Amino acid sequence: MNKKRGYAITIALSVIIVVLIGMRIFFWINKDSKAKEPEYVLFYAENQVEDYPTTMGAEKFAELVYEKTGGRIKIIIKCNAELGSEMQVIEQMRYGGISFARVSLSQLAEVSPQLNVLQLPYLYSNSDHMWRVLDGEIGNQFLEETSSQGIIGLSWYDAGARNFYSTAPIRSLEDLQGMNVRVQESDMMADMVSALGGNPMKIVYAEVYSALEQGIVDCAENNWPSYESMKHYNVARYYTLDEHTRVPELQICSKVIWDKLDESDQQIIMDCAKESALLERHLWQEREKTSREIAEKSGITVIELSFEEKMRFRDAVSSVYEKYCGDQMDVIEKIMKY
Ligand code: GCU
């Protein structure tokens, strides 16, 4: 009997101890999750796929901001253009509907036309030249100036050089004549294609594949990672290395959201954006190579242009300089000498 009572007491005590430990863990977890509840949950728009360098840069940015604000600011990345096309995203950001994005300068220049000067065809002699300009006083000044349009420029991301790719080979300027060419939603890019003899058609990025597949356009233009990751190489089998533009990309924040943050959080966001850009630029170099390899392995034809032919392309687009940046000739000269 005594033995039985002993067992019963031991079991009862064990149950009480287990319940107490459980309650402690429960309250501890709850207390902890309460402490970590973010003050801000902000969305970030990206139109590339998940493993693309700019998306990975965005993930790094979000991770750094979360860490450095002790979990107070949580940024959620929405890739694959889930939040809309770049122009739709920019419009929403001007009114605070979306907090962050990474966009192509071609699109931001539609609302901040002074940016066009940084994407003029054949402006930079190579990638290093472009980075000297963007990392220097000119790049900083242009980042600051975007704020007048309800957008805060945070950092520059790499997007390499853009080339034409097509369903029939482009070996010379003559081959481009009369081709329907997809361009971004950018007046300057449309005029550039007209100057080269093509018929520009503005089509959003997500629809380029079907436009090529259905024969709505014969040609598009982009860097190697976009050509590969969007599978355009399956439908446009000729890639001509004319390197007509280097269009940088920007990480941006809505000014409406920015103005709600205190100065120290603004500084953290700025610093994290710049730190994430270093990673993106590194990933970019690798992805350019692997994307080219993937496309080449699939049997596409890569066309190199002679120096003389490239100069013909360059001369053909010179009218764009005057039309879009006639009042920024001093900046152009400065960039060219940088
Ligand atoms: C690049 C750029 C995109 C852009 C696309 C386009 O891929 O990274 O942001 O949308 O060009 O040609 O539209």
Side-chain angles (χ1 to χ4, degrees):
M1 192 71 183
N2 268 351
K3 227 177 183 182
K4 268 193 182 166
R5 191 182 292 156
Y7 280 142
I9 290 172
T10 313
I11 289 170
L13 278 176
S14 308
V15 169
I16 290 169
I17 288 168
V18 168
V19 168
L20 284 177
I21 290 176
M23 280 171 72
R24 183 138 179 82
I25 290 174
F26 175 80
F27 285 117
W28 178 73
I29 288 174
N30 266 1
K31 185 172 149 256
D32 195 53
S33 67
K34 208 163 193 185
K36 282 202 175 138
E37 212 161 86
E39 216 171 291
Y40 297 97
V41 177
L42 306 171
F43 285 93
Y44 181 119
E46 167 60 67
N47 74 347
Q48 302 287 7
V49 295
E50 221 164 322
D51 68 345
Y52 199 86
T54 55
T55 315
M56 289 163 84
E59 291 291 354
K60 180 78 191 168
F61 169 62
E63 194 184 300
L64 287 168
V65 170
Y66 189 77
E67 193 184 296
K68 296 205 170 144
T69 58
R72 279 186 304 103
I73 303 184
K74 186 175 164 78
I75 298 171
I76 297 174
I77 316 296
K78 294 281 181 189
C79 59
N80 289 314
E82 206 185 305
L83 299 181
S85 71
E86 288 182 301
M87 286 314 293
Q88 290 167 339
V89 166
I90 290 170
E91 242 0 81
Q92 289 194 60
M93 288 180 78
R94 292 173 78 184
Y95 304 103
I98 296 173
S99 308
F100 295 99
R102 185 284 314 159
V103 292
S104 167
L105 180 137
S106 279
Q107 304 302 222
L108 197 56
E110 292 299 290
V111 293
S112 286
Q114 80 280 4
L115 286 171
N116 273 318
V117 72
L118 296 178
Q119 59 163 353
L120 282 166
Y122 298 104
L123 176 69
Y124 308 106
S125 42
N126 52 34
S127 170
D128 287 349
H129 180 199
M130 182 186 81
W131 282 114
R132 280 200 302 280
V133 172
L134 297 181
D135 286 337
E137 66 174 300
I138 299 182
N140 287 334
Q141 194 185 323
F142 278 102
L143 269 189
E144 278 164 26
E145 278 176 18
T146 56
S147 68
S148 59
Q149 298 305 321
I151 298 284
I152 302 290
L154 302 175
S155 76
W156 298 108
Y157 269 24
D158 204 352
R162 294 175 78 102
N163 299 286
F164 288 110
Y165 46 87
S166 42
T167 49
I170 300 173
R171 299 185 197 281
S172 68
L173 205 48
E174 283 68 30
D175 292 332
L176 244 171
Q177 306 312 298
M179 266 194 181
N180 288 338
V181 183
R182 179 271 168 170
V183 290
Q184 290 174 273
E185 295 178 272
S186 153
D187 289 343
M188 191 177 107
M189 290 308 158
D191 279 345
M192 176 191 75
V193 164
S194 300
L196 289 166
N199 304 321
M201 296 178 77
K202 291 182 185 172
I203 296 174
V204 297
Y205 188 48
E207 285 163 22
V208 180
Y209 183 95
S210 54
L212 283 163
E213 194 184 32
Q214 291 166 21
I216 296 167
V217 293
D218 317 295
C219 178
E221 48 84 55
N222 220 318
N223 49 50
W224 282 107
S226 300
Y227 178 59
E228 174 265 315
S229 66
M230 297 300 276
K231 308 272 184 272
H232 295 171
Y233 67 95
N234 286 334
V235 282
R237 305 288 291 158
Y238 299 90
Y239 195 95
T240 301
L241 293 168
D242 64 292
E243 299 197 320
H244 52 271
T245 48
R246 284 186 183 274
V247 181
E249 326 227 76
L250 299 98
Q251 274 190 306
I252 52 177
C253 178
S254 158
K255 192 168 183 309
V256 177
I257 305 296
W258 185 256
D259 290 343
K260 289 189 178 144
L261 301 171
D262 65 34
E263 256 180 54
S264 63
D265 283 342
Q266 290 176 348
Q267 192 57 52
I268 290 176
I269 285 171
M270 211 36 119
D271 293 346
C272 295
K274 300 225 156 44
E275 196 176 331
S276 77
L278 297 179
L279 172 76
E280 192 272 345
R281 287 192 213 174
H282 170 73
L283 295 173
W284 184 263
Q285 302 297 325
E286 289 175 0
R287 184 66 182 246
E288 254 188 345
K289 282 193 215 111
T290 52
S291 290
R292 181 173 178 163
E293 274 165 26
I294 292 170
E296 284 191 317
K297 265 196 198 134
S298 80
I300 61 148
T301 304
V302 179
I303 301 166
E304 306 253 2
L305 293 182
S306 65
F307 176 75
E308 290 72 30
E309 197 53 38
K310 234 175 162 176
M311 289 305 106
R312 290 184 71 214
F313 274 63
R314 198 193 65 178
D315 294 347
V317 296
S318 59
S319 56
V320 166
Y321 275 57
E322 184 54 42
K323 179 164 177 192
Y324 288 87
C325 306
D327 57 347
Q328 289 168 297
M329 285 303 174
D330 51 330
V331 186
I332 296 176
E333 250 175 59
K334 220 169 155 187
I335 292 176
M336 285 184 160
K337 284 194 201 132
Y338 230 82

